[in-house]
Amino acid sequence: MSQQGYVAAPPYSQAQPGMGGYPAGFGSGPTQPMYGHYGGQPQAFSGPPTGMMKSPVSSAPGMPPPPVSSHYSPNVQQNGAHPQRYPAPPAPTAYGQPSQSTYHSMASQAPPPAQQLTNQMSAMNLGNYAPGPMQSPPPPTSSGAQQPFQMPALPGMGQPQMPPGPQSPQMSPQMSPPQSPPASMSMSGPPMAGSPMAGPPMAGPPMAGSQMAGPPMAGSQMAGPPMAGMGTPFPGPSPPGAGGFQQPGPGQGYPQQPGQFGGQMAGPQPGFPGAFPGGAGQMSGPPQKKRDPDSVPSTTQVIEDDQAKRGGQVYTTNLRGQVPPLVTTDFTVQDQGNASPRFVRCTTYSLPCTADLAKQCQVPLATIIKPFASVPKNETPLYVVNHGETGPIRCNRCKAYMCPYMQFIDGGRRYQCGFCTCVNEVPVFYFQHLDHMGRRVDFYEKPELSLGSYEFSATMDYCKNNKPPNPPAYIFMIDVSYTNIKSGLVKLVCDELKTLLDKLPREEGVESSAIKVGFVTYNKILHFYNVKSALAQPQMMVVSDTAEMFVPLLDGFLVNYQDSRAVIYNLLDQIPDMFADTNESETVFAPVIQAGVEAFKAAECSGKLFIFHSSIPTAEAPGKLKNRDDKKLVNTEKEKTLFQPVKGVYEQLSKDCVAQGCSVDLFLFPSQYLDMATMADVPSHTGGSVYKYNNFQVETDGEHFLRDLRKDVEKSIGFDAIMRVRTSTGFRATDFFGAIHMNNTTDVEMAAVDCDKAVTVELKHDDALSEEAGALIQCALLYTSVSGQRRLRIHNISLNCSSQLSELYKSCETDSLVNFFAKTAYRAILNQPLKSVREILVNQTAHMLACYRKNCASPSAASQLILPDAMKVFPVYMNSLMKTAPLVGSTELSTDDRAHQRLSAMAMGVEDTQLWLYPRLIPLHNMESGSEAVPAPIRCSEERLADSGMFLLENGHSMFLWLGHASPPDLIQSIFNLPSLAHLPAHMSALPDLDNPQSKKVLSIINALLQKRPNSMKLQIVKQKDKPEMLFRQFLVEDKGLHGGASYMDFLCYVHREIRQLLT
């Protein structure tokens, strides 16, 4: 396929002086916005060097398209000096002077009149997923990155909407694609992959070059400034400039960015009535049809297609660089030399060969590692390899562990390391002959030679002080201040622990858990309990000097639950009564964690603290906090301080915890502000979790809290862990995101790591990569198991390398990309105004898509929005991310909730971020109660809801049952056992268990979801048009945000405009 139109173009823009990290403020004076990774070096958005443009290889028919997506940061720096990824905060005269012109004003204006949106979209020529070179819709297998998603031109003014042309299968269910092209298309030969339909233009839409067909627009008043920076009437192609960014003269700076995301507005443009949320275009003419939301890419459709194509199949990991099924697809993994995607996913499975290519496309290169991911029952658990005294075999030079990428040579006497190419001697005990293929004869008998993931038993060299570790311990620390006693929480926890302690994690096939347990209660002072099995009654010891924390007893504090069961029962019965008459309302917090660390030190073990705490610690003690919540800081330079922990005591505490292998899980029951940013600091650096129950009431929140507690205590986990990521030559791991602590630039330390925690690792080039050798990554995690054994868990993955950008875009994984962007943005808000962070997210989205358009797509009208197949729903997720609580500056959101969401996201894996940014909305009113199947989810938008329907929405953290105001009485009767919707009580948080098929089916769907997700969710039942419905609406991520933020359609238009600006 000829790339002629694109090869010759000179670079998009030469880097300009002073562009490095938005120096004197984002856009003060003539600097350009930087389309880089946050704070990378100046980004010349240059075309590929002319010699490198082979025509892109499109995926062979029959190769599955990589369903995924990615992100790259161009700071090429030595490992170690991590420059701030996001640049220093801009000076106060930030990029958009009118303060309300931020991203949010997209939502603050009234919804745009239909005409204007259409007009806006007609410019965008949205639509038509361009089919590949075939006439009927291509079979799902052949859609590669070369069949990008394309949107058709919008109908011209007042002309009838065209039937959709041939579509690739990613259509939303309402529009099944016609099986052959409509007659009007008279196709002249198959269209090129990714090009707009060959053949006459579709009836109606103005094609490139045609000025707006029809009279100018109806006199819609549009609120808001018209758009800047577009020289030509919007729909036509931009004038062929010198090929790249029309570089304004050095003094002129950049064409000002359009308003919503910054910049001052220029006057109205000729032929472009109105702007993004509306411009003052008074024009008359026939009204236009509303834009059809089904013509923009649908997340639910992409998920459904992947499930249809790859669901229920066995995914074997024997190929380098193959793209796995989506995280939402059900599949079985067979490990044949690369780690399962449950453990490791990447933003792209084909790395660009050079740093220049990476910089040009701006697709971040990263891998998301979930070292302890749960493996379904039908997949093989990891093998443990034991080499006895000698320990695991490693490369002498780079210390990589023996794995499938080591090449045996010299008759099997030596091996060449795949990571650093060093040739090593094979130890005598490990020697084995090679077969005629050069493979060892025992290849299939050794997990470390044939599998991507496995474990090694570690020797004493891998243990602290060269002695074997003791089994870990769990300490339950209960705040017995007035609020927790009065709410009934203390009794609830004590009652639950009696049964829960039977379910502590244990090794496969062992009868009881080796984990020891201990108990502390506290308010202003701490009470430790001796529960030695020999005692008839538990003994309490009090420490009131919280400044010098120590543990008053060694023997009898941490015990085996089975041995001391009677004494522990006794204690758990007594605690609620002992403090029943308390009126102590002040609490301490830091000393409680300190006590836990001291206890583990004394017992020489690692472990976890479960802290049940109610309020901000105000008692005189180390770590005392004061209320620093200040809504006046929202949307100012200082807003970032709301997310930063108070320095000092808690920082040191995190280090002490990590050094001892003490992880902290925090259960919070606040009724007001408690400085989440500081209190959650220790859990978020020790591999812990934070659970929050606002205004806790046992009746409505008790079950929800207990489900969380049970999952938390029972989940599989490793302690005192240290992880290192090694790579083959040419690139390396430069940055790490997660609930982790880093003392140096390479070792990721985690006091504990459980099955839900993921670490996102950014990769950068330090040299060219070769297409033949590919790229190898090995993640090695050293940890203590629940039985007290020291082990090494190894995950290996091999990726392709390519000098073709089309290959990179084809093997992108949208879900992984979004995980990376969420974490980088959430880290950035600690140092930068939200507005800059949002701007960078939009710029990078536009940049990645513009680069694809310029280098990989067939030439087509500028008014066409072309998206790579693997990234076609990427804009939905990015827009959703920008509407999350931490990134919207709204005074209506609680500071603690924003901080909590920021910290939770940092440890999420790909599956969790996907669901959190695009909730599942399931229609329950018309399902067949007889069948097992869950109804297919629908798009998250208000227009998909039906007045007579019942819908379940969940995102892994919240769950709603939405009832339309016209719900039929028989539906209400069968689910709630009430005659009609009017009888439904407010604040109902559970469904009755009724003996009818519909009720049973709904309950089974809800319970299955609660079991599957890492967190418990409290069911909130909302009626249409009731006040609580507002809460539910903020999860409809395709609509405008409640607290600011664009609808998906508006955001797509906006990004398209940005792309066109980059390309002209």
Side-chain angles (χ1 to χ4, degrees), residues 636-824:
T636 69
E637 281 290 310
K638 292 197 172 145
E639 182 167 7
K640 55 184 180 239
T641 58
L642 297 175
F643 296 112
Q644 296 165 353
V646 174
K647 292 271 186 287
V649 175
Y650 291 97
E651 225 173 348
Q652 186 52 48
L653 210 43
S654 290
K655 289 179 184 154
D656 296 348
C657 283
V658 171
Q660 189 52 49
C662 164
S663 174
V664 178
D665 278 357
L666 192 48
F667 293 82
L668 293 169
F669 305 88
S671 53
Q672 57 211 30
Y673 175 81
L674 49 61
D675 196 355
M676 173 66 80
T678 305
M679 293 191 69
D681 191 46
V682 176
S684 66
H685 283 99
T686 57
S689 308
V690 179
Y691 303 90
K692 181 161 176 277
Y693 312 89
N694 296 339
N695 304 314
F696 178 83
Q697 291 178 312
V698 171
E699 304 70 49
T700 52
D701 307 287
E703 209 31 60
H704 166 44
F705 152 65
L706 292 177
R707 275 195 305 261
D708 272 333
L709 178 59
R710 286 171 201 139
K711 275 183 195 253
D712 199 43
V713 169
E714 294 169 27
K715 63 184 162 192
S716 60
I717 187 168
F719 296 93
D720 202 8
I722 185 159
M723 180 173 101
R724 189 169 271 193
V725 177
R726 292 182 173 83
T727 54
S728 50
T729 48
F731 74 117
R732 62 176 196 285
T734 56
D735 216 342
F736 303 85
F737 302 85
I740 56 173
H741 175 77
M742 300 206 58
N743 266 331
N744 55 34
T745 56
T746 51
D747 297 328
V748 178
E749 298 184 55
M750 294 173 277
V753 54
D754 64 48
C755 56
D756 300 319
K757 300 286 183 293
V759 178
T760 299
V761 182
E762 186 175 11
L763 309 166
K764 298 239 179 88
H765 286 77
D766 42 21
D767 205 347
L769 300 171
S770 92
E771 300 203 11
E772 294 71 55
L776 311 176
I777 300 172
Q778 181 178 79
C779 158
L781 178 86
L782 174 65
Y783 72 99
T784 301
S785 73
V786 289
S787 60
Q789 292 174 328
R790 205 69 179 142
R791 291 209 189 132
L792 280 151
R793 179 171 283 219
I794 313 292
H795 296 300
N796 303 288
I797 189 166
S798 57
L799 306 175
N800 287 333
C801 297
S802 172
S803 51
Q804 300 295 323
L805 284 175
S806 56
E807 284 303 305
L808 174 136
Y809 281 103
K810 206 179 283 187
S811 28
C812 272
E813 180 164 274
T814 292
D815 299 328
S816 297
L817 266 175
V818 173
N819 176 284
F820 178 90
F821 276 117
K823 293 187 183 187
T824 50

Side-chain angles (χ1 to χ4, degrees), residues 323-408:
V323 181
L326 296 183
V327 279
T328 43
T329 300
D330 294 315
F331 57 100
T332 306
V333 182
Q334 191 173 15
D335 186 341
Q336 293 192 357
N338 284 295
S340 154
R342 301 190 202 289
F343 297 119
V344 184
R345 280 186 178 265
C346 299
T347 55
T348 178
Y349 294 83
S350 178
L351 301 184
C353 281
T354 63
D356 286 345
L357 270 179
K359 195 167 175 180
Q360 186 188 328
C361 68
Q362 302 250 320
V363 171
L365 308 182
T367 170
I368 295 100
I369 303 170
K370 209 181 203 182
F372 263 79
S374 318
V375 173
K377 295 265 186 288
N378 59 351
E379 292 177 21
T380 326
L382 300 193
Y383 289 98
V384 181
V385 179
N386 191 343
H387 287 318
E389 291 299 297
T390 51
I393 294 169
R394 307 175 66 173
C395 168
N396 289 330
R397 186 199 290 162
C398 71
K399 299 289 183 261
Y401 293 85
M402 178 54 69
C403 68
Y405 317 137
M406 304 294 188
Q407 186 67 41
F408 287 86

Side-chain angles (χ1 to χ4, degrees), residues 512-658:
S512 66
S513 173
I515 293 177
K516 295 207 150 62
V517 294
F519 303 89
V520 171
T521 55
Y522 67 94
N523 38 46
K524 269 200 326 203
I525 55 177
L526 280 78
H527 322 104
F528 294 79
Y529 297 93
N530 182 345
V531 283
K532 208 156 106 182
S533 54
L535 297 171
Q537 284 287 334
Q539 294 169 348
M540 170 165 147
M541 305 204 171
V542 178
V543 176
S544 50
D545 180 5
T546 49
E548 295 292 319
M549 205 57 231
F550 70 100
V551 178
L553 75 163
L554 276 181
D555 188 28
F557 177 58
L558 294 177
V559 299
N560 180 305
Y561 172 65
Q562 302 302 337
D563 302 345
S564 299
R565 182 189 289 259
V567 193
I568 290 173
Y569 258 53
N570 218 327
L571 171 67
L572 293 172
D573 279 337
Q574 289 175 28
I575 289 175
D577 300 337
M578 244 185 310
F579 299 99
D581 303 325
T582 186
N583 50 13
E584 182 54 74
S585 58
E586 285 195 311
T587 56
V588 295
F589 183 61
V592 180
I593 299 177
Q594 191 67 52
V597 176
E598 297 301 328
F600 291 150
K601 264 190 196 146
E604 296 184 356
C605 70
S606 53
K608 178 170 264 198
L609 311 179
F610 294 81
I611 303 180
F612 305 91
H613 189 90
S614 63
S615 56
I616 189 163
T618 51
E620 278 310 321
K624 172 183 175 177
L625 297 174
K626 57 179 189 294
N627 186 337
R628 58 189 186 106
D629 185 18
D630 184 357
K631 287 291 194 314
K632 289 199 283 297
L633 300 180
V634 174
N635 281 323
T636 69
E637 281 290 310
K638 292 197 172 145
E639 182 167 7
K640 55 184 180 239
T641 58
L642 297 175
F643 296 112
Q644 296 165 353
V646 174
K647 292 271 186 287
V649 175
Y650 291 97
E651 225 173 348
Q652 186 52 48
L653 210 43
S654 290
K655 289 179 184 154
D656 296 348
C657 283
V658 171

Side-chain angles (χ1 to χ4, degrees), residues 927 929-930 974-975 994-1003:
M927 54 182 183
S929 40
S974 60
I975 304 297
L994 304 174
D995 192 14
N996 69 61
Q998 256 173 318
S999 170
K1000 286 191 169 10
K1001 177 84 194 258
V1002 170
L1003 284 170

